[in-house]
Amino acid sequence: MDTRPIVVITGATSGLGRLAALELARWGAQLGIVARSQTKVDALRQEIDEVAPGTPVDTFIADLTSLRDVRRAGKEIDAHYRRIDVLINNAGVHAFSQRITPDGFAEMVAVNYLAPWVLTKTLLDKLVASAPARVVTVASEGARWAGSIDLAHDLTVTADYTKREAMTLYFRSKLMDIMFTQELGRRLAGTGVTATCCDPGFNTTGLGRELPLAGVLERALHAMRIGDPRRGAGIIVRLATDPAFADATGGYFSAKDAKPLTCPEPGRSHRIQADLWNATANVLDGVVFDGW
């Protein structure tokens, strides 16, 4: 029987997720890759074979802009594995113009926050049964620039926005990831499942590829050794594997020496974090979950 730790990760075919997947393979994990493109997974599998030959890699195709598809993939993952040791919610998007998902949500809210919520909720029973287990979610210290938060509005708003406004909305979705993690940590208290999140720092990973001259800027930053994504991938892997974080539930950590961070206002109180959880459940009831 294969005793490798089983790690399920989203957004692993590029950027920080790709580097994290390669490092996790070196560490000895069996990987469950949630991705939209089989071609990109095949390319990643070749890279994994080069750095860690024999690593088992399972593919689960899903479009994270469709929460119904996320739910379907989650059920497929749950049925495929007898246990899950780590779930890494890494996938993210920074959209500079509004795009509406098939479920009627703003794309950034859906991919950055609602998709991790749905996938985690779908796999929660399996994670608890697999304890000790971990849930790691990639957030951003930019959440401190999220401004105000209006839960019902921010979860469902689909109005157009400018490139300047896009930054605030992106950071707000990441603030919700931190709030989600800390509320999840409280809900999982005593189960042996640890929920943590991280700020991966500034990384040249193509997240802002929709901006004019993004490719030129990324190459220039690489040449100046600014925004090295290995540091961002490093904190993801540490939260997933390092025994030092086995009991750090609800923690929010920086890529800079794993320094503990505080959830920014206005999302810091236990009350508003619980309110976000309940508002999210209400928004998703009937869209993804029926009578759950």
Side-chain angles (χ1 to χ4, degrees):
M1 181 182 296
D2 197 329
T3 59
R4 295 170 184 259
I6 296 170
V7 179
V8 175
I9 179 171
T10 66
T13 58
S14 62
L16 297 181
R18 169 182 158 273
L19 294 176
L22 293 172
E23 191 57 35
L24 288 163
R26 293 187 186 98
W27 176 67
Q30 175 176 346
L31 296 175
I33 306 297
V34 182
R36 184 165 53 181
S37 166
Q38 183 64 58
T39 300
K40 289 185 178 180
V41 175
D42 291 342
L44 174 64
R45 191 190 300 268
Q46 289 183 355
E47 288 190 90
I48 290 172
D49 284 341
E50 291 174 5
V51 301
T55 298
V57 178
D58 305 305
T59 304
F60 303 94
I61 298 299
D63 180 353
L64 299 189
T65 67
S66 168
L67 300 179
R68 290 182 176 88
D69 209 30
V70 174
R71 173 71 166 162
R72 175 202 55 75
K75 289 181 176 180
E76 184 181 335
I77 294 165
D78 184 46
H80 184 79
Y81 294 119
R82 61 182 181 83
R83 74 174 198 280
I84 298 172
D85 297 284
V86 183
L87 168 63
I88 301 176
N89 295 308
N90 164 75
V93 62
H94 190 161
F96 290 91
S97 61
Q98 184 65 279
R99 293 189 289 264
I100 311 302
T101 71
D103 304 307
F105 296 103
E107 182 185 44
M108 277 199 288
V109 172
V111 174
N112 297 349
Y113 171 65
L114 293 175
W117 201 101
V118 170
L119 185 59
T120 303
K121 182 72 172 63
T122 303
L123 295 176
L124 211 51
D125 288 344
K126 180 59 61 71
L127 287 160
V128 171
S130 306
R134 307 186 190 194
V135 178
V136 179
T137 301
V138 177
S140 171
E141 196 175 9
R144 57 188 168 140
W145 295 305
S148 62
I149 187 165
D150 179 339
L151 300 181
H153 177 267
D154 292 332
L155 288 171
T156 59
V157 63
T158 56
D160 290 339
Y161 54 78
T162 65
K163 288 183 173 64
R164 183 185 299 270
E165 293 166 333
M167 188 70 73
T168 299
L169 295 174
Y170 173 75
F171 288 145
R172 194 167 295 155
S173 72
K174 292 300 183 178
L175 174 60
M176 289 191 279
D177 282 333
I178 302 167
M179 296 165 67
F180 156 74
T181 295
Q182 297 190 335
E183 177 64 16
L184 179 64
R186 285 187 289 273
R187 288 173 178 255
L188 291 174
T191 65
V193 180
T194 299
T196 59
C197 60
C198 65
D199 163 46
F202 174 72
N203 300 278
T204 53
T205 59
L207 192 63
R209 57 185 171 272
E210 296 180 31
L211 286 172
L213 302 177
V216 174
L217 177 60
E218 183 169 337
R219 288 191 293 273
L221 292 172
H222 272 306
M224 292 184 287
R225 298 183 180 180
I226 297 174
D228 186 347
R230 289 174 296 183
R231 186 169 62 176
I235 187 61
I236 297 170
V237 173
R238 285 189 66 183
L239 293 181
T241 65
D242 191 331
F245 298 99
D247 299 315
T249 196
Y252 169 38
F253 300 94
S254 171
K256 299 176 183 177
D257 302 318
K259 175 185 175 183
L261 299 171
T262 301
C263 179
E265 292 290 9
R268 187 176 302 164
S269 75
H270 292 188
R271 173 68 179 275
I272 195 167
Q273 291 174 359
D275 287 347
L276 174 62
W277 183 283
N278 293 329
T280 303
N282 289 335
V283 163
L284 295 175
D285 190 21
V287 176
V288 180
F289 300 96
D290 294 313
W292 61 283

